[in-house]
Amino acid sequence: MLLPAILLGLLVGTATPASAHAVLRATDPGDGTVLRTAPRHVTLAFSESVGLLTDSFRVYDPHNHRVRTGPAGHASGRSDTARVTLPAKLATGTYTVAWRVVSADSHPVSGALTFSVGKRTATAVAPPLERTEDPATTALHTIARYLAYLSLALLLGTAAFVAYCRPPTTAHLRAPALAAAAVLLTTTTALYLLRAPYEEGTSPTTAFAVSSLTHTATTRPGLLLLARLGLLTLAAACVALLRTRRTRLPRRATLAAAGVLALALSLTWSASDHASAGIQVPVAIVSATLHLLAMAAWLGGLAALLWTLRRTPAPAGLPATVPARFSRLAFASVTVLVVTGVYQSWRGLGSWQALTDTTYGRTLLAKLAAVTALLLAAACSRTFTARLSRAAATPAPARVPEPASGPPLPPERPPAPATAVPLHLLRRSILAEATASVLVMALTTLLSSTVPGRAATEPVQPALPATTGIPTASVTTIPFDVGTPGGHGKVQITLDPGRVGTTSVQAVIYGPDGGLSTVPELRVTLTLPAQRVGPLDTRITDRGGYWTADSFTIPLPGTWTLKATVRVSDVDQVTVSAPVRVTR
């Protein structure tokens, strides 16, 4: 009875804006650069392919008026870029570009950059304050995602439990299976309707607009949701037709059809989440699909077993073969989960440091702790299942015949069945297992909405060709974390220009909230390992909110190692590094 309340609390407590997974890698013009002549385009390069919206770019002039631009598109046919055409003539001053795209794994990402024509304006111009996320849309979308995962696990797990464990009766499982199917159909419909508002950061009231519905139908996440709706509708129609005609398919045909349906439904998830972007995409999709199927068989089957135990009459009890079969099914599922989970963790993290330095890594650690608790409960269930099997196989003691004469013996109290105690303990351990499984599923869904550690720890560095005018500055952003509360953020270092010779160095610190932050000390050095040059100290000084060195000489071209030592207090400091390419 408490499981729905626990689930609802997890849903509400974690209904936060999803973290985007496409990371901005380069811009042209570079952020903060000054150009002699106006550029014709603004081009962004990302870590993965991105989708474009009708309003992906908003460009503001030095007077904070929106500039009329051309339609957004991809540069040179590259799906990991976004480009917009600017007017032929731009006035002198600083321009602000606000952008929003959709990453390959279906999550929107947004940001802003500035560039100047001729000279910088005295005060940087910021775009009008607009919400990048609508709280209501984000909350509804997140809740629908959680419920969709839960209903899929219950539906597929119940089917696997019936097919493999073969309980003596399945009538009591019909209601939860139909409820799970109905919830899955409803949440999939809601996810499709909310797709366009979620991508554009608008209100849920725009979900029924014809333009929103047609746009969603042209995107990969929208097509996958339509495919999921089609599969569910087709399955419901087939079941209704068979029940109307009172026709029963052969067992093998039923199992084959159910297996195809389960595989197809799982693919609609794995083809739109983390597995669809990054490295080794085909292998990742196969791994994510197997991971989802194993999770559904174990956790959904666990719910079906718990429901069966509660509905089984006490005197007769449940045949020992049912929990014994489920024990084997759970062991096989756990094996698949471990193998695919290790691969997905390696693919998502990229390094051991990301395990503790990124939100993805810390969430993964929490999931591992929950899985450990789940495995302990499962081990208890397996032990009690073995006891139940042995008790069921033990023959009942022979009844002593009554004497032919003499006073009648008092009636004896019938002994409790040998399976009563193991069955009682099995119910308790499975209930604990089910409770832990709810937490595991919540953390799994949360992981799918978090930036993978591999992408979060890679430095951001422009690598696009320069436009026209002054050579493009080199801007490198490096995350840091000293390991104390509030002691993390990013340091952004600009080499202007990023080429051999005399250059200026500027650095700013961004705090945990993304805003500018001050630190008592910052040291930046450059080392060229290939030529054994350095470290060269840039000797940057604090200018009241930002750090700069007006004149610093880079002697040689090549891939330099840029190191930044950030001290946030008297005793807390950290050194982070990133490669930076210097040209002639």
Side-chain angles (χ1 to χ4, degrees):
M1 296 294 289
L2 292 176
L3 290 181
I6 295 173
L7 177 62
L8 182 61
L10 289 170
L11 295 179
V12 175
T14 54
T16 56
S19 301
H21 301 159
V23 178
L24 181 65
R25 289 287 175 242
T27 66
D28 179 23
D31 186 16
T33 57
V34 180
L35 308 172
R36 289 196 182 97
T37 59
R40 291 294 293 127
H41 304 89
V42 173
T43 306
L44 311 176
F46 295 89
S47 59
E48 62 183 51
S49 60
V50 294
L52 303 176
L53 306 172
T54 55
D55 196 27
S56 277
F57 286 92
R58 302 189 310 277
V59 182
Y60 300 90
D61 65 16
H63 302 289
N64 207 17
H65 297 149
R66 185 164 179 178
V67 177
R68 184 171 297 179
T69 61
H74 296 291
S76 304
R78 291 178 54 187
S79 61
D80 61 346
T81 63
R83 169 177 286 182
V84 66
T85 302
L86 300 175
K89 295 182 179 180
L90 293 177
T92 300
T94 299
Y95 289 77
T96 302
V97 181
W99 51 267
R100 186 180 181 89
V101 295
V102 181
S103 60
D105 51 10
S106 76
H107 297 287
V109 54
S110 59
L113 62 94
T114 63
F115 67 89
S116 302
V117 178
K119 65 178 182 179
R120 290 187 177 94
T121 54
T123 304
V125 178
L129 294 178
E130 299 181 9
R131 289 183 182 271
T132 58
E133 305 285 350
D134 184 274
T137 299
T138 302
L140 291 173
H141 187 271
T142 303
I143 290 174
R145 281 172 56 85
Y146 275 76
L147 290 177
Y149 269 111
L150 177 64
S151 56
L152 177 74
L154 290 177
L155 181 61
L156 299 187
T158 301
F161 177 78
V162 171
Y164 184 76
C165 299
R166 301 182 184 182
T169 177
T170 60
H172 60 283
L173 294 174
R174 186 175 303 165
L178 291 176
V183 172
L184 182 57
L185 184 63
T186 303
T187 53
T188 302
T189 304
L191 286 172
Y192 183 84
L193 294 175
L194 291 169
R195 186 67 213 171
Y198 174 69
E199 289 181 351
E200 298 173 2
T202 57
S203 169
T205 56
T206 63
F208 295 95
V210 176
S211 59
S212 298
L213 297 176
T214 54
H215 171 73
T216 302
T218 61
T219 63
R220 184 163 58 90
L223 291 174
L224 290 172
L225 288 172
L226 287 176
R228 192 184 305 169
L229 284 173
L231 290 170
L232 293 172
T233 304
L234 179 62
C238 292
V239 171
L241 181 62
L242 292 176
R243 292 193 64 183
T244 301
R245 296 185 176 182
R246 296 182 179 179
T247 304
R248 190 169 184 177
L249 294 178
R251 177 179 174 81
R252 289 187 177 180
T254 303
L255 293 178
V260 171
L261 177 63
L263 179 62
L265 285 175
S266 300
L267 281 172
T268 63
W269 261 275
S270 56
S272 63
D273 280 336
H274 285 167
S276 62
I279 61 174
Q280 304 176 354
V281 171
V283 179
I285 289 180
V286 172
S287 174
T289 302
L290 293 176
H291 195 85
L292 185 58
L293 289 172
M295 179 272 296
W298 183 20
L299 304 185
L302 180 67
L305 175 60
L306 182 61
W307 190 260
T308 300
L309 287 171
R310 290 180 61 85
R311 296 288 177 171
T312 301
L318 186 69
T321 55
V322 175
R325 283 177 173 269
F326 178 76
S327 181
R328 292 192 291 270
L329 175 65
F331 181 80
S333 299
V334 169
T335 302
V336 175
L337 286 172
V338 169
V339 174
T340 56
V342 168
Y343 169 75
Q344 291 176 190
S345 299
W346 167 81
R347 183 175 180 269
L349 285 172
S351 66
W352 288 108
Q353 183 180 1
L355 194 61
T356 56
D357 291 355
T358 64
T359 302
Y360 183 90
R362 289 188 288 268
T363 306
L364 181 61
L365 288 176
K367 179 184 175 181
L368 291 177
V371 169
T372 301
L374 183 57
L375 289 174
L376 291 175
C380 294
S381 299
R382 189 175 179 87
T383 301
F384 298 143
T385 298
R387 292 182 184 178
L388 184 64
S389 300
R390 289 194 299 268
T394 302
R399 183 179 179 86
V400 179
E402 295 183 0
S405 62
L409 296 174
E412 295 183 359
R413 185 176 181 179
T419 60
V421 174
L423 187 60
H424 175 71
L425 296 175
L426 181 62
R427 285 195 182 101
R428 288 182 175 272
S429 65
I430 291 179
L431 180 59
E433 198 175 344
T435 304
S437 69
V438 173
L439 182 58
V440 170
M441 292 185 64
L443 291 171
T444 300
T445 309
L446 186 59
L447 272 177
S448 68
S449 300
T450 306
V451 181
R454 184 183 294 271
T457 55
E458 291 180 0
V460 179
Q461 179 180 330
L464 295 179
T467 313
T468 59
I470 300 174
T472 304
S474 172
V475 183
T476 304
T477 304
I478 316 174
F480 70 86
D481 191 345
V482 299
T484 59
H488 62 278
K490 296 180 180 180
V491 54
Q492 179 179 291
I493 304 170
T494 303
L495 304 178
D496 189 8
R499 64 178 185 180
V500 171
T502 302
T503 184
S504 64
V505 183
Q506 297 94 32
V508 292
I509 303 293
Y510 295 100
D513 59 352
L516 291 177
S517 179
T518 59
V519 295
E521 184 180 354
L522 176 64
R523 183 170 181 257
V524 176
T525 63
L526 282 162
T527 304
L528 185 59
Q531 303 294 333
R532 297 183 179 179
V533 177
L536 306 179
D537 193 348
T538 60
R539 300 185 183 278
I540 57 175
T541 57
D542 189 1
R543 299 291 180 84
Y546 71 99
W547 299 72
T548 184
D550 295 331
S551 180
F552 174 74
T553 301
I554 303 179
L556 297 170
T559 302
W560 291 72
T561 298
L562 184 65
K563 285 189 177 182
T565 300
V566 185
R567 182 167 65 86
V568 298
S569 68
D570 292 338
V571 295
D572 297 313
Q573 73 174 34
V574 67
T575 299
V576 291
S577 63
V580 58
R581 180 70 179 172
V582 176
T583 60
R584 289 189 182 275

